[in-house]
Amino acid sequence: MRHQGPLRHRAAYVAFDRFPSSKGSAVHIAQMADELFTRFEGGLLAAIGGGDLPRYQREGTREVARFDAAIPNLIDRAEAFSGWVAAHLRPHWETLEVCHVRDPWSALPAVADGRRHTVVYEVNGLPSIEMSHTWPWAAPATLGKIRELERFCLERSDAVVVPSRVIGDAVRGLGVPEGRIHLVPNGADVRDRPERPAGAPERYLVYVGALQPWQGLDVLMRAFARLADLPGLRLVVCASVPERRAKPVRRLAERLGVAERVDWRFALPHHEVAAWLAHAEVSVAPLTGCARNLDQGCAPLKVIESMAAGVPVVASDLPAVRELMADGRHGRLVPADRPAELARAVRILLEYPEEAAAMGRRGRAHIEESLTWARSRARLTEVYRTLTRGR
Amino acid sequence: MNRCTVTTGFFVLGRCGRSAVAACPQCGRPVCGAHAGPNALCPECAAAQGYRTQDPHHPGWTRGYRREYYRGSSQSYNDGYWYSSFDEYDRGAFNPGDDYSYGGDWGPDDDTGFVDS
Ligand SMILES: [Zn+2]
Ligand SMILES: [Zn+2]
């Protein structure tokens, strides 16, 4: 190994997220951190570990440090993470040029006084909004404190990177000046068509992603119940979360009488998900019309990855989705939270397979032309370049 | 012959698998020539030394760490407002099991991000 003593990094990427994992966030982290570390000849990735993941890893000039303390309370855990991050940035305080963070608790130690480095705050969502959905018992006053924390960190950051215009608007609403906000969209890599996954049904719809209420799995199950007359049609759910998280959705599927026609796959590696996407008739992104998706915004990777796989998409007609795909061109956009409309759109695509295939091809071309990871990474590098110029 | 068990890779992880030449004096795992650091330490133990990581399994760790961190950060932020702002009432809403959308307990196989795409 070239570096046997302690490394001194010029760049750090901090995420309160397990890395790697089967979630979309891990794909995003891999791309962004890889770009950062390529530009700065190495770096420190500080993330969440646990399970079989090693606490520390070194790959040449790159280092991965993983926080794995089992602290059940989320705020306790987040604060302990902040402290751990502070301790891990300390040895690099003099050499650090860019610190890239993804959330307030990661940002807090990075935006401290006396820093020489610039801070790039990547906002994929706002915990003050999203946590009200995930943690319904959180009081408005508590969410207000989280919002203050967000504001504090955003104010002190040199640049804010957002994956969609809707999130950009939300960040502007928190008082971040326009000139400091940079759009770096999510991307996907267009690859050769993968082989059909073992055990794949003849004809299936696919859902890819996590299972929180705002993903609209309930809407999808209700829509699927309306497609019971289509012989042999199955629904494959590639869940990015562990199996026990599926209990509520599975219960609903049973109640609706569709459970027998649903196939579940859990926490598949990224390349296997790509194969399930590629061989599906239709990929469905039934995001609900809640504040989390509308006000905060989102940048659903599943829509981009479905298009990259060449499969037509049926998705909820939300501003954040419209930024990525066009109705009638790459698939269909349907009103959110309306199972009947969702079912109808899917049915029409299944009835006109040639038109559906053409939509899939156009989606793939659209990704190749404008939403590749290479393009996103080039934009990110431009942000770094602007910031570090003249320092 | 023992194989090196050092984890390699960035997004897709694997095990090194080369023939081991030594055992890490700290954790005992077999390491190959490329992964054996100073005094044959494995990369994981070598990096941990660089950060002098405290043992997070120690019972006093969370609270002790939190306190130490806030002492340090309140000095550097010169801001007495936010850092003590989450009281026990605020924290109470974020215990595992209260979290209906995830359907129950927090486990070590769970992701812990705040937002998700
Ligand atoms: Zn060791
Ligand atoms: Zn090795």
Side-chain angles (χ1 to χ4, degrees), chain A residues 33-374:
Chain A
D34 188 55
E35 184 63 20
L36 177 66
F37 298 165
T38 303
R39 295 300 140 215
F40 290 86
E41 293 148 341
L44 169 71
L45 171 64
I48 305 284
D52 289 337
L53 296 171
R55 216 170 260 176
Y56 291 101
Q57 228 188 304
R58 274 188 187 187
E59 300 287 327
T61 56
R62 296 179 179 201
E63 204 165 34
V64 184
R66 295 187 179 90
F67 175 82
D68 60 1
I71 302 169
N73 184 281
L74 178 64
I75 300 294
D76 286 349
R77 192 159 75 247
E79 292 184 340
F81 179 73
S82 276
W84 176 89
V85 171
H88 281 74
L89 292 181
R90 211 168 289 138
H92 312 290
W93 208 247
E94 298 302 318
T95 50
L96 211 53
E97 292 170 46
V98 171
C99 187
H100 188 130
V101 300
R102 275 173 68 92
D103 53 80
W105 284 275
S106 301
L108 209 41
V111 298
D113 285 342
R115 65 187 163 97
R116 298 167 61 238
H117 58 266
T118 56
V119 175
V120 175
Y121 189 155
E122 175 195 318
V123 177
N124 295 288
L126 296 165
S128 62
I129 294 177
E130 184 141 342
M131 283 163 82
S132 71
H133 293 256
T134 343
W135 300 90
W137 310 120
T142 304
L143 295 167
K145 290 177 186 178
I146 294 172
R147 170 147 303 209
E148 279 316 304
L149 182 56
E150 271 166 6
R151 251 194 249 273
F152 178 84
C153 295
L154 285 167
E155 223 165 71
R156 289 174 155 244
S157 298
D158 301 279
V160 178
V161 163
V162 294
S164 75
R165 281 183 217 108
V166 185
I167 298 184
D169 291 341
V171 167
R172 205 168 296 120
L174 284 175
V176 177
E178 177 75 45
R180 235 190 280 160
I181 304 172
H182 305 265
L183 178 65
V184 177
N186 274 326
D189 291 322
V190 175
R191 296 218 166 84
D192 290 343
R193 189 175 160 84
E195 272 184 49
R196 197 176 181 86
E202 196 58 39
R203 235 170 146 230
Y204 64 95
L205 313 177
V206 71
Y207 170 86
V208 167
L211 307 176
Q212 307 94 329
W214 65 75
Q215 304 281 10
L217 264 296
D218 56 330
V219 183
L220 174 55
M221 291 299 163
R222 286 177 218 280
F224 193 52
R226 290 166 173 268
L227 298 171
D229 59 303
L230 297 176
L233 183 69
R234 301 189 67 84
L235 168 64
V236 176
V237 179
C238 295
S240 60
V241 294
E243 182 158 7
R244 66 202 151 83
R245 296 294 178 228
K247 264 185 229 153
V249 182
R250 278 182 151 163
R251 265 199 301 270
L252 177 67
E254 303 240 337
R255 245 187 10 215
L256 294 168
V258 299
E260 306 285 271
R261 296 188 291 129
V262 180
D263 297 311
W264 291 85
R265 293 289 183 280
F266 293 97
L268 293 180
H270 192 235
H271 67 272
E272 288 185 31
V273 173
W276 282 100
L277 279 172
H279 293 274
E281 304 295 319
V282 173
S283 172
V284 189
L287 292 152
T288 66
C290 65
R292 186 264 174 193
N293 294 336
L294 283 172
D295 305 342
Q296 164 197 275
C298 50
L301 201 55
K302 61 178 129 251
V303 171
I304 304 176
E305 292 189 337
S306 299
M307 284 193 280
V311 60
V313 184
V314 175
S316 299
D317 189 8
L318 305 176
V321 178
R322 252 178 270 144
E323 286 182 44
L324 305 174
M325 62 173 280
D327 182 34
R329 192 161 169 76
H330 310 121
R332 295 308 310 268
L333 295 177
V334 296
D337 310 300
R338 304 275 280 279
E341 308 244 10
L342 183 61
R344 191 174 312 127
V346 170
R347 186 183 293 275
I348 292 171
L349 287 184
L350 294 173
E351 277 171 11
Y352 297 91
E354 278 171 28
E355 180 51 24
M359 285 175 172
R361 283 194 299 274
R362 285 195 293 262
R364 202 168 151 91
H366 171 53
I367 300 300
E368 258 171 333
E369 283 153 24
S370 50
L371 285 168
T372 57
W373 277 123

Side-chain angles (χ1 to χ4, degrees), chain B residues 24 26-29 42 45:
Chain B
C24 171
Q26 196 89 27
C27 67
R29 80 165 56 163
C42 74
C45 292

